[in-house]
Amino acid sequence: MSLSEQQVSQIAYLARLSLSDSELKDNTKDLNAILGLAEQLGAIETDGIEPMAHPLHMTQRLRADVVTEVDQSELFQSIAPNVGNHHYLVPTVIE
Amino acid sequence: MEWETVIGLEIHAQLSTKSKIFSSASTLFGQAPNSQACAVDLGLPGVLPVLNVEAVNKAIKFGLAVGAHINQRNIFDRKNYFYPDLPKGYQISQMDIPIVGEGEIEITVDGEVKIVGITRAHLEEDAGKSVHDMFNEYTAVDLNRAGTPLLEIVSEPDMRSAKEAVTYAKKIHSLLQYIGICDGNMQEGSFRCDANVSIRPIGQEELGTRAELKNINSFKFLERAINLEVERQQDILEEGGSVAQETRLYDAVKHETRSMRSKEEANDYRYFPDPDLLPVEISNELMASIKASLPELPVEKKARFIAQLGLNEYDADVLTSQKSLADYFEATLEDNEKNAKLCANWVMGELSALLNKNQLEIDQSLVSPQALSLLVTRIGDDTISGKIAKDVFKAMWEGEGSADEIIKSKGLKQMTDTGEIEAIVDDTIANNTAQVEQFKSGNEKILGFFVGQAMKATQGKANPKLLNELLRKKLS
Amino acid sequence: MSIHTKTIAQLAQGLKNKEFSSVEITQHYLDRINKSDLNAFITVTDELAMQQAQASDDKIASGNGGILTGIPYAHKDIFCTQGVKTSVGSKMLDNFISPYDATVSHHLNQADLVMLGKSNMDEFAMGSSNENSFYGDVKNPWNKNKIPGGSSGGSAAAVAGGLSCFATGTDTGGSIRQPASLCGITGLKPTYGRVSRYGMIAYASSLDQAGPMTKTAEDAAIVLNAMAGFDEKDSTSAQQDVPDYTANLNDSIKDLTIGLPKEFFSEGLDDAVATEVMNAVKEFEAMGATVKEISLPNSAYAIPTYYIVAPCECSSNLSRLDGVRYGYRCDDPKDLEDLYLRSRSEGFGAEVKRRIMIGAYALSAGYYDAYYLKAQKTRHLISEDFKKAFADVDVIMGPVSPTTAFDLGSVKDSVSMYLADIYTLSANLAGLPGMSIPAGFSNKLPVGLQLIGNYWSESKLLNIAHQFQKQTDWHAKIPEEG
């Protein structure tokens, strides 16, 4: 399995990254090399093996339904790139 | 060609918790923009989610109420996509193992009972809100809603008409309020529907290509949007075209659905288990205690209304269709159960009519159930007639006092003294000799004329039964 | 013996005995940082440090100081620190003044530590050489043409170069142990879930774990006491009591059984490194320990497994960096797409973009089973190998890195760089605690010995390391200056 430049460019878009022509070339090469490494996994028999998403066999702890947060919007918005009327602003989105 | 419509609904119900599903910020509606978006809701670098126990309990409650399988080990996944009102670039949801598995619910459409399958219901976090009309060049994002717990209830494609879909949606809406897990406020977005609509030639097994209708915020619009979509698909197919699988936005103002710029095209949500959250385990003990805490469900209540109160199927169905309506009705029965049928008639008749006219919900009624109960009692004990009661009820609605006060102040108490009524009957007969002749020559219908005249003379207060009896006796 | 060669234990003693004040030692470190060309820090918080030092001195004077009161340290720039820039080594967060404290930051503040600054690191902790930082390469104090290791390269260089008494680090695939090894210091990656991840900017959530980087095992125990503990803000934090990690440092290790995985001593391991590691193992034998050869058959697959799992998690974790609420936003975005594409492309460095793309691909429709799911299954097998091994041995030992520190700029392709992580990745995949301790030199460059323990065995690892450091002086060696 080998990725084409077109596929890499689609993957980049999926991750909202844009690549210049030379970056696209380099990344296609790199991604294929890394996926080549991943191909080694094909050699392992994993039928019937449970996938391991977490290193510990713990279960989810549940939090009491209590409101403890206070309004810190001024602090949070002081580091925002663009704010107006207490809202975060982005270029107009057409739905 | 004859077409069959196939509809499945995805309902997003905001669970009525105090705090968010993964953070301790408040879920209150209508607060200052972003004042309830804490570090976790904003997706600041480094923050982590911790699951709210009430969101889990409420989801289980729903599952038990629809007889669904509860997955006692369920998993949270990430659904990855970019959108300004989705702070982390992914929504925490449940994909492979949702908390609620298969269940079902019964609906009645045109007197026919139908079972609608529930495929699953899963927990997820709500997104924020994008405001497009606040600034000219910008979309403004308010993240107060981000992280509000949602239960997404997915039905099987079991509905065959817009009417069935609406009935199902209303049924779920009502059930959520019955079991107290969602306030059901559609204006505030607490209850939202997406409809998957497709059509196929009658007799065909295979499903047609479906369109997903979004942005529907009332039952009325749900019905309209589906009907509109069915027409659109029929037109396409009958002209030999094919329906595209896409998301369509319903525009209630223009009354049209339109494609959402092929929003789905580039979307590959890349679901995978959220590594910040661990598998949720639900013990048998917790299941049992939630089961024990379930209130009487609508289907149980309906059966009880029929068996215990002697209501008919239709009345019982209507009265249990909304929790607030059933609550009101049951409150009128306090110390008044023997008049249950009468109470039912009044709630479904006069009261509903006045509420509709004034565009009020049952819990905004200007007449309390206790007040209505007294009025019904006065009909039952023959203090007033049903006809007079309507006037009393109107006066009650206008705030003129209790049924007893109004009956007293307006002197509406029914005349039940035989002598008094007899005198009026005698007068009526004496003053209408021509009509007496007609009656005697066999025109039985003329009796109504006498009743009317006598009632008029008593300002409607004569006991109708007594009046009828006396008239017949005197005339014959 | 000058201030900057003293351990925490020694500084604490000196502070208590009024040999020097926290203000004095803090100033001493700040002067050294000022003169240093290692590029170990992204931000030096000199004013804050002097305030904290003064407050610590007051506290010591009133007799209320703890063991860490007034000790200057370097905090990896991955931990959120309220009011202080927290960049994760990325242009993306170059303007990010954190509005909140990480739980670890909070704990360290509670312990009255003096934060000298935020240490340099590979961008978003992705790298094994510290060459992926937006703030430039960090130099190895033992040889300034060499890499310090990564991703906690700034922390390792700061401790080895005498720029801080100790440092914090995080380890997702070896990021504490490998730079500790290459810089000749002691580094501990605790069991997953031991130290809270809240406020520690995520790279790969199921692998990330914070720990101390110190001069000695004793210091590591002291710092871990402050860092570790259950945190209700982290769902993956373990509800497990924190023992006093210094309590068992002096236990005898003569009954110790050491496992040497044969896979850790095969092809690819530098001969000189192998020799130093085996010499260290012999030292343990001399102390009475028994050595056994063991096998971790699936450890060969740690690299492909890790380089699928970690990128998958990071591709999602880094989606929040979108230029909307904080961090870098491109100039004059013409529409939303442009805002996303340019902010992210301009804000992230090459290696970060590569891993995001690998992850996005491995999770995408049609490839999920072949990559992500397959890797999570191999991860299970790797973890099972350890379970079997720990039925027979108390600790596993081996090299940390196949070579000593290599030349800056010498490894140019990603895959070759990834291969250097071969011995450290397995512990992260399994969630096990691991350490690197100084064990010798090759060509005047430090060689580290890796210890991998069973779950929650940090006390045991620290005990083993401390006993070794009582018998050897590798940990006490310091690089020449000038």
Side-chain angles (χ1 to χ4, degrees):
Chain A
M1 209 168 351
S2 179
L3 290 175
S4 66
E5 284 187 12
Q6 196 210 338
Q7 278 175 298
V8 172
S9 143
Q10 282 167 355
I11 297 162
Y13 179 72
L14 199 56
R16 294 301 183 274
L17 295 171
S18 64
L19 303 174
S20 68
D21 288 350
S22 69
E23 283 175 319
L24 181 60
K25 224 179 231 20
D26 291 348
N27 274 289
T28 304
K29 193 171 124 257
D30 290 340
L31 260 54
N32 276 316
I34 298 165
L35 292 172
L37 205 61
E39 301 296 317
Q40 294 172 12
L41 296 180
I44 318 176
E45 181 55 63
T46 51
D47 283 358
I49 304 294
E50 273 287 301
M52 176 174 155
H54 286 283
L56 300 178
H57 299 287
M58 300 195 309
T59 55
Q60 180 60 38
R61 188 165 35 81
L62 302 174
R63 193 189 89 240
D65 181 25
V66 181
V67 175
T68 57
E69 292 289 345
V70 294
D71 178 6
Q72 295 192 79
S73 52
E74 210 172 302
L75 171 65
F76 294 147
Q77 297 198 338
S78 70
I79 53 166
N82 196 356
V83 174
N85 224 352
H86 305 290
H87 289 71
Y88 293 94
L89 302 186
V90 297
T92 303
V93 181
I94 306 128
E95 273 191 339
Chain B
M1 192 178 287
E2 291 283 312
W3 300 96
E4 180 181 50
T5 304
V6 177
I7 304 158
L9 293 188
E10 289 169 17
I11 291 170
H12 289 86
Q14 285 184 346
L15 298 176
S16 48
T17 56
K18 294 186 198 77
S19 65
K20 295 192 176 166
I21 183 167
F22 297 118
S23 83
S24 300
S26 167
T27 55
L28 274 183
F29 181 82
Q31 303 302 298
N34 289 302
S35 63
Q36 294 185 164
C38 71
V40 173
D41 305 326
L42 288 173
L44 289 186
V47 298
L48 296 169
V50 184
L51 182 57
N52 183 340
V53 65
E54 268 307 305
V56 173
N57 290 350
K58 287 182 159 60
I60 297 171
K61 222 169 182 178
F62 173 77
L64 294 175
V66 294
H69 173 72
I70 304 291
N71 287 313
Q72 287 182 259
R73 184 180 170 86
N74 56 86
I75 307 282
F76 280 96
D77 298 290
R78 292 183 181 179
K79 177 182 182 181
N80 295 283
Y81 65 96
F82 287 89
Y83 204 72
D85 60 21
L86 186 73
K88 298 185 294 296
Y90 59 83
Q91 179 193 31
I92 306 177
S93 181
Q94 298 193 298
M95 182 61 176
D96 280 347
I97 314 178
I99 184 161
V100 177
E102 275 182 44
E104 58 182 41
I105 198 156
E106 191 184 290
I107 60 171
T108 310
V109 184
D110 296 333
E112 275 190 41
V113 172
K114 175 169 183 154
I115 303 289
V116 176
I118 288 168
T119 315
R120 56 183 284 160
H122 63 257
L123 284 167
E124 62 185 26
E125 54 181 345
D126 208 343
K129 269 183 194 157
S130 296
V131 187
H132 303 294
D133 54 6
M134 189 180 290
F135 295 91
N136 278 333
E137 291 168 45
Y138 299 110
T139 288
V141 183
D142 174 8
L143 296 170
N144 276 352
R145 198 180 69 176
T148 300
L150 289 179
L151 186 67
E152 180 174 339
I153 303 158
V154 182
S155 83
E156 290 289 307
D158 284 347
M159 276 89 51
R160 294 291 172 269
S161 68
K163 198 172 177 186
E164 283 185 11
V166 169
T167 308
Y168 164 80
K170 283 185 173 169
K171 195 89 187 177
I172 295 284
H173 184 251
S174 144
L175 178 66
L176 295 174
Q177 289 173 293
Y178 261 100
I179 59 177
I181 67 169
C182 172
D183 68 20
N185 190 323
M186 293 178 85
Q187 282 78 45
E188 293 178 3
S190 303
F191 184 92
R192 317 194 286 267
C193 290
D194 296 342
N196 289 313
V197 180
S198 66
I199 60 171
R200 62 183 171 191
I202 283 183
Q204 180 182 305
E205 188 84 7
E206 193 190 334
L207 291 172
T209 308
R210 65 168 200 267
E212 187 180 359
L213 306 180
K214 279 194 185 286
N215 197 31
I216 305 169
N217 60 8
S218 81
F219 295 125
K220 191 170 73 188
F221 292 156
L222 176 62
E223 183 155 5
R224 286 185 185 172
I226 292 171
N227 285 331
L228 197 64
E229 178 59 19
V230 168
E231 279 173 38
R232 191 187 70 89
Q233 293 187 11
Q234 267 182 26
D235 289 349
I236 293 175
L237 293 176
E238 279 168 4
E239 282 164 25
S242 60
V243 174
Q245 180 161 344
E246 61 181 356
T247 301
R248 298 183 69 84
L249 203 66
Y250 176 67
D251 185 330
V253 179
K254 295 184 186 155
H255 187 48
E256 61 174 29
T257 66
R258 59 171 186 272
S259 182
M260 284 180 79
R261 273 196 316 140
S262 60
K263 189 187 170 189
E264 307 294 297
E265 164 207 70
N267 266 350
D268 179 341
Y269 291 125
R270 290 159 287 146
Y271 282 97
F272 76 109
D274 189 330
D276 288 332
L277 291 161
L278 301 164
V280 179
E281 275 195 3
I282 297 163
S283 67
N284 291 332
E285 291 72 30
L286 179 63
M287 297 258 287
S289 84
I290 291 176
K291 188 150 204 163
S293 78
L294 275 180
E296 184 181 36
L297 298 175
V299 61
E300 294 162 350
K301 202 180 275 288
K302 181 178 160 187
R304 180 168 62 84
F305 283 0
I306 294 169
Q308 188 181 321
L309 305 177
L311 300 190
N312 63 32
E313 167 95 20
Y314 176 80
D315 289 357
D317 197 58
V318 171
L319 288 170
T320 54
S321 64
Q322 275 180 61
K323 180 173 189 293
S324 48
L325 185 60
D327 284 349
Y328 188 102
F329 170 63
E330 289 196 88
T332 67
L333 299 181
E334 219 162 294
D335 301 324
N336 198 16
E337 208 171 284
K338 62 179 189 299
N339 290 319
K341 178 64 192 160
L342 211 46
C343 285
N345 291 345
W346 273 85
V347 171
M348 293 164 62
E350 294 301 304
L351 177 65
S352 291
L354 266 184
L355 289 172
N356 275 341
K357 196 175 139 203
N358 292 288
Q359 291 188 309
L360 293 174
E361 295 298 322
I362 184 91
D363 47 14
Q364 299 168 307
S365 169
L366 302 184
V367 172
S368 73
Q370 291 72 23
L372 179 60
S373 179
L374 180 64
L375 178 67
V376 170
T377 304
R378 291 296 167 254
I379 304 168
D381 66 11
D382 283 339
T383 305
I384 52 172
S385 68
K387 193 159 181 296
I388 291 281
K390 289 184 186 180
D391 297 329
V392 176
F393 184 68
K394 282 195 188 96
M396 286 163 66
W397 185 270
E398 297 300 330
E400 291 175 30
S402 72
D404 280 352
E405 284 162 1
I406 293 164
I407 291 166
K408 193 173 172 209
S409 69
K410 297 198 171 179
L412 299 174
K413 192 170 184 316
Q414 194 157 241
M415 214 180 264
T416 47
D417 177 25
T418 316
E420 218 176 321
I421 298 176
E422 204 170 354
I424 288 163
V425 165
D426 289 345
D427 276 0
T428 310
I429 291 173
N431 295 337
N432 297 285
T433 46
Q435 284 80 359
V436 175
E437 284 311 310
Q438 285 183 37
F439 183 83
K440 287 189 171 163
S441 61
N443 184 359
E444 285 268 333
K445 282 185 190 163
I446 205 83
L447 187 68
F449 166 79
F450 289 103
V451 173
Q453 290 298 309
M455 272 294 184
K456 208 168 164 186
T458 63
Q459 287 150 325
K461 289 184 287 183
N463 179 306
K465 205 171 135 210
L466 214 55
L467 180 64
N468 262 293
E469 278 170 18
L470 283 168
L471 270 170
R472 274 187 186 279
K473 200 170 106 190
K474 300 262 172 181
L475 285 168
S476 349
Chain C
M1 196 178 186
S2 54
I3 296 286
H4 60 270
T5 59
K6 289 183 191 297
T7 64
I8 295 172
Q10 288 161 347
L11 284 182
Q13 194 61 39
L15 286 168
K16 200 176 156 198
N17 297 343
K18 309 269 189 303
E19 288 165 37
F20 37 73
S21 67
S22 175
V23 166
E24 283 165 359
I25 57 177
T26 300
Q27 192 59 58
H28 176 77
Y29 274 119
L30 289 172
D31 290 345
R32 286 183 60 80
I33 293 169
N34 218 5
K35 279 183 260 167
S36 163
D37 59 357
L38 297 176
N39 196 27
F41 286 84
I42 290 172
T43 305
V44 179
T45 49
D46 34 12
E47 270 180 45
L48 174 72
M50 292 311 286
Q51 282 166 22
Q52 289 178 330
Q54 187 57 59
S56 297
D57 282 335
D58 294 346
K59 206 152 183 177
I60 294 165
S62 66
N64 295 323
I67 179 113
L68 288 170
T69 303
I71 306 290
Y73 78 106
H75 205 17
K76 187 175 180 180
D77 206 20
I78 199 168
F79 294 98
C80 284
T81 42
Q82 187 167 1
V84 174
K85 176 165 110 174
T86 303
S87 76
V88 264
S90 181
K91 178 180 177 184
M92 186 58 99
L93 291 180
D94 182 49
N95 63 2
F96 182 68
I97 308 298
S98 178
Y100 79 106
D101 266 335
T103 298
V104 166
S105 304
H106 177 71
H107 283 332
L108 299 184
N109 285 337
Q110 292 295 104
D112 310 320
L113 283 156
V114 174
M115 185 174 86
L116 296 166
K118 304 295 292 288
S119 57
N120 205 341
M121 57 181 287
D122 281 305
E123 184 179 5
F124 281 94
M126 299 178 202
S128 312
S129 66
N130 219 116
E131 292 167 301
N132 297 335
S133 170
F134 173 63
Y135 301 92
D137 302 344
V138 176
K139 296 177 177 67
N140 190 316
W142 293 92
N143 179 337
K144 290 175 186 166
N145 295 318
K146 305 282 181 184
I147 58 123
S151 67
S152 313
S155 290
V159 176
L163 306 182
S164 69
C165 180
F166 78 94
T168 56
T170 62
D171 190 318
T172 305
S175 285
I176 287 175
R177 289 161 291 156
Q178 186 254 20
S181 169
L182 302 190
C183 289
I185 64 165
T186 300
L188 168 64
K189 177 201 101 72
T191 308
Y192 182 85
R194 180 72 294 180
V195 176
S196 168
R197 293 190 299 112
Y198 188 81
M200 186 179 117
I201 299 177
Y203 157 25
S205 313
S206 78
L207 302 162
D208 295 341
Q209 184 61 202
M213 301 178 77
T214 54
K215 292 189 169 81
T216 63
E218 184 187 17
D219 280 4
I222 294 167
V223 178
L224 186 59
N225 275 347
M227 291 177 83
F230 169 67
D231 181 8
E232 60 182 22
K233 293 194 189 116
D234 175 0
S235 295
T236 62
S237 168
Q239 276 173 298
Q240 185 135 349
D241 289 342
V242 180
D244 175 359
Y245 289 109
T246 62
N248 298 91
L249 291 174
N250 288 309
D251 287 2
S252 161
I253 57 164
K254 72 172 169 29
D255 295 327
L256 192 71
T257 309
I258 298 169
L260 297 183
K262 60 180 184 204
E263 294 81 5
F264 281 22
F265 293 89
S266 56
E267 183 191 2
L269 177 62
D270 181 273
D271 287 343
V273 171
T275 306
E276 295 304 319
V277 168
M278 285 317 294
N279 285 341
V281 172
K282 277 179 203 138
E283 188 68 42
F284 280 105
E285 278 185 299
M287 291 157 72
T290 314
V291 175
K292 266 176 124 165
E293 187 186 88
I294 59 166
S295 176
L296 301 170
N298 292 294
S299 63
Y301 299 106
I303 293 177
T305 301
Y306 176 89
Y307 281 99
I308 292 299
V309 172
C312 283
E313 293 185 8
C314 98
S315 72
S316 176
N317 282 336
L318 271 57
S319 290
R320 68 188 61 195
L321 299 147
D322 58 4
V324 175
R325 297 163 315 286
Y326 50 80
Y328 179 77
R329 177 184 283 201
C330 66
D331 288 337
D332 305 319
K334 69 176 198 303
D335 56 25
L336 182 67
E337 292 285 88
D338 189 40
L339 166 70
Y340 283 150
L341 289 168
R342 279 201 291 130
S343 299
R344 288 170 59 81
S345 300
E346 294 167 15
F348 290 135
E351 181 61 24
V352 170
K353 286 187 223 176
R354 244 186 315 269
R355 294 196 196 184
I356 288 175
M357 285 190 281
I358 286 289
Y361 176 65
L363 288 174
S364 66
Y367 302 98
Y368 180 87
D369 287 3
Y371 292 110
Y372 177 78
L373 210 60
K374 181 81 186 179
Q376 293 291 44
K377 288 178 179 181
T378 5
R379 181 178 184 181
H380 197 170
L381 292 174
I382 289 167
S383 148
E384 288 294 310
D385 283 353
F386 281 108
K387 204 172 161 187
K388 280 176 209 142
F390 283 118
D392 293 331
V393 302
D394 301 313
V395 64
I396 291 169
M397 289 190 189
V400 177
S401 174
T403 63
T404 53
F406 47 83
D407 285 344
L408 282 158
S410 64
V411 177
K412 296 208 165 57
D413 71 296
S414 306
V415 168
S416 308
M417 190 68 94
Y418 298 171
L419 296 177
D421 302 336
I422 176 84
Y423 306 126
T424 48
L425 300 175
S426 307
N428 298 85
L429 290 166
L432 294 166
M435 275 189 91
S436 173
I437 53 173
F441 283 83
S442 161
N443 281 333
K444 295 184 181 167
L445 287 169
V447 172
L449 170 72
Q450 182 170 214
L451 318 178
I452 299 173
N454 210 340
Y455 298 100
W456 317 112
S457 69
E458 289 81 1
S459 282
K460 188 80 204 162
L461 291 180
L462 288 161
N463 166 223
I464 296 166
H466 181 65
Q467 291 306 308
F468 182 75
Q469 291 179 347
K470 273 167 63 175
Q471 299 298 319
T472 61
D473 64 353
W474 304 117
H475 62 283
K477 305 267 190 227
I478 52 166
E480 279 172 33
E481 294 190 11

